[in-house]
Amino acid sequence: MKKNKLPRRIAIGIVLGVLVGWACHHFAGSEQSAKEIAAYFSMVTDIFLRLIKMIIAPLVFATLVGGIASMGNSRSVGRIGMRAMAWFVTASVISLMIGMGLVNLFQPGAGLNMEVVQHATAAVPVNTGDFSLKTFISHVFPRSIAEAMANNEILQIVVFSLFFGFALAGAKRAGYTKITDSIEELAKVMFKITDYVMAFAPIGVFAAIASAITTQGLGLLVDYGKLIAEFYLGIVILWAVLFGAGYAFLGRSVFDLGKLIREPILLAFSTASSESAYPKTIEALEKFGAPKRVSSFVLPLGYSFNLDGSMMYQAFAIMFIAQAYNIDLSFTQQLLILLTLMVTSKGMAGVARASVVVVAATLPMFNLPEAGLLLIIGIDQFLDMARTATNVVGNSIATAVVAKSEPHEEPAEEGQAQVPVRSRSEPVSVA
C-alpha cells in the first residue's frame, strides 16, 4: 500500500512545485534573487539525482549479467538484440515523421521574422565538440569498467556486462554457481536500495519543478504557449501510436503496462532525467511479466538507441528554427534532415543535454543559423520533461514487445537444462 501512494505523492509534489515556484518568482524582486532562490531548490534536486545515479551502474550490471547468464548462449542475445534494434529503428522513423509533419502543419515559427546575422558568433550554451558518430562508436567500448561505472556510461556498462555474463554462463555450465548466486543477490539488494531512494522522490520532484518555475516563471509558458502546446500535442499523438503498436503485439495487457509504469513516467517528467526512471521501469517490467534476461538487456540498449521523444523534439526544433528565420526547406531537404538525425542521434549517449546538442550539431549541416537555438533554450526544460517521459514509455513498450516475442522456454545448449520463462498468460498484478 505504501508503494501505491508514490505516484500520488509525486503528483502532489509537481503541483506544490508549480505553486511555490510561482510565488518565489513573483516575490523575488529581481532576476538575480530568483536565481539565488532557485539554487537552493536545485541543490535538493541534485542530491536526489545523485542518489539515483549512485544505484544505476550496479543495478544495470547486476540485472544484465544475471540475465545473460540465465540465457546460456549467444544466439539468444543476438536474436533479442536484432528484434530490439528493428523496433528501435522503426520507432525512431515514426517519431521523426510525426514531429516533422506537425511542425509543417502548424508552422509554430512562422511570423517571428528573425534575421540571420552574418559572421556573428552566437553564445549557444551547449558544447558540440565531443559529438560525432566516430566519437560515439569508439566511446561505446570501455577502457575501464571502474571509469564507466563512475561516469554512469550505460552503454559501456552493457558491453562489459555482455562479456562478463557470457563468461559467467560458461563458468555456470562448468559447475561454478557461487558467483551467479552472488550476482542475483546483488540485484535484490539494489532493488531494496531503490525503494529507499524512491522515498525521497516527491521531495526531489517538488524541488525540480519549483526551481524551473522560480527562474523562468509562468510568463514564459504563455509567451511560448503555441510551441509548447503543439509539441505536447505531438507527444500525445506519439503516445497513442506507441500504445497502438503495443496493443497490436500485446493486446489489452498493454494498458496494464501503462498502469505499472506510472511512477517512472512521473519521475522522468518531473525531473527531466531518464536515469531517475530506470530502476522503477525495470521493476515495473518485471511485475508485468517480462523476463529479467530480456528486460535487463533491452532496456539499457533502449536508453541509447530508442529515444522516441527526443527524436520528435529534434525534428520539431530544427524546423521551428528554419521557420523563425523564414528559411524554406524543400521536401528533399527535410528528408535529408530526417536521415541525418537518424544517424547523428545515435551519438547522444553520454552527452549532457543530448537532444539540444544534436540540434546544435545538425543546424550547420543545413546552413541553418545556430543562433536559432537560443529561441528554444529558455523553454527547453519544459520540452525536456515531455520528451524524457516519452522515452520511458517507448522503451517500456519496446521491452515488453520483445519479451512477448521470446519463447516460453529458452533453448539450452548441450548439457544445460532449459530455463523456464514466465508465461505471458499469467495474471499481472497492477497497482
Side-chain angles (χ1 to χ4, degrees), residues 37 65 89 108 143 161 163 197 304 310 326 367 380 388 423:
I37 296 171
V65 168
V89 171
R143 55 188 173 187
S161 299
F163 281 99
V197 172
S304 295
S310 298
N326 296 315
N367 297 318
D380 183 67
T388 305
S423 171

Side-chain angles (χ1 to χ4, degrees), residues 90-265:
T90 303
S92 295
V93 171
I94 293 173
S95 302
L96 286 169
M97 290 179 66
I98 291 175
M100 196 70 78
L102 288 176
V103 81
N104 275 287
L105 175 64
F106 293 117
Q107 301 281 319
L112 293 180
N113 298 320
M114 302 295 294
E115 294 184 1
V116 179
V117 180
Q118 298 295 335
H119 308 295
T121 302
V124 179
V126 293
N127 178 24
T128 61
D130 296 330
F131 177 83
S132 68
L133 189 60
K134 178 182 177 182
T135 302
F136 167 70
I137 292 174
S138 60
H139 188 71
V140 166
F141 302 94
R143 55 188 173 187
S144 166
I145 185 56
E147 180 186 40
M149 287 192 166
N151 296 325
N152 272 342
E153 298 283 0
I154 291 183
L155 206 52
Q156 292 186 2
I157 297 172
V158 167
V159 171
F160 177 81
S161 299
L162 286 173
F163 281 99
F164 196 97
F166 285 130
L168 189 60
K172 187 178 179 181
R173 289 194 296 272
Y176 301 99
T177 60
K178 289 185 178 180
I179 299 181
T180 305
D181 295 338
S182 298
I183 292 292
E184 292 176 353
E185 294 300 321
L186 174 61
K188 293 178 182 178
V189 171
M190 293 313 303
F191 279 119
K192 192 65 177 177
I193 295 176
T194 297
D195 290 338
Y196 296 150
V197 172
M198 286 303 156
F200 297 96
I203 300 174
V205 165
F206 162 79
I209 297 296
S211 176
I213 299 297
T214 298
T215 53
Q216 304 292 347
L218 295 176
L220 190 69
L221 299 179
V222 176
D223 296 338
Y224 283 86
K226 182 181 178 182
L227 174 61
I228 295 174
E230 290 168 1
F231 178 73
Y232 272 73
L233 174 62
I235 291 294
V236 170
I237 294 174
L238 182 55
W239 280 35
V241 171
L242 290 172
F243 274 99
Y247 185 85
F249 289 91
L250 303 173
R252 295 186 61 84
S253 62
V254 72
F255 302 115
D256 295 330
L257 176 63
K259 293 178 182 178
L260 288 168
I261 59 176
R262 286 177 301 179
E263 288 181 27
I265 289 174

Side-chain angles (χ1 to χ4, degrees), residues 85-97 133 304-305 311 314 335-348 358 362:
M85 291 306 296
W87 180 279
F88 295 165
V89 171
T90 303
S92 295
V93 171
I94 293 173
S95 302
L96 286 169
M97 290 179 66
L133 189 60
S304 295
F305 294 101
M311 298 290 281
Q314 292 156 25
L335 184 60
L336 287 174
I337 290 175
L338 288 178
L339 294 175
T340 302
L341 289 174
M342 279 291 298
V343 176
T344 57
S345 62
K346 303 314 173 192
M348 287 196 295
V358 171
T362 306

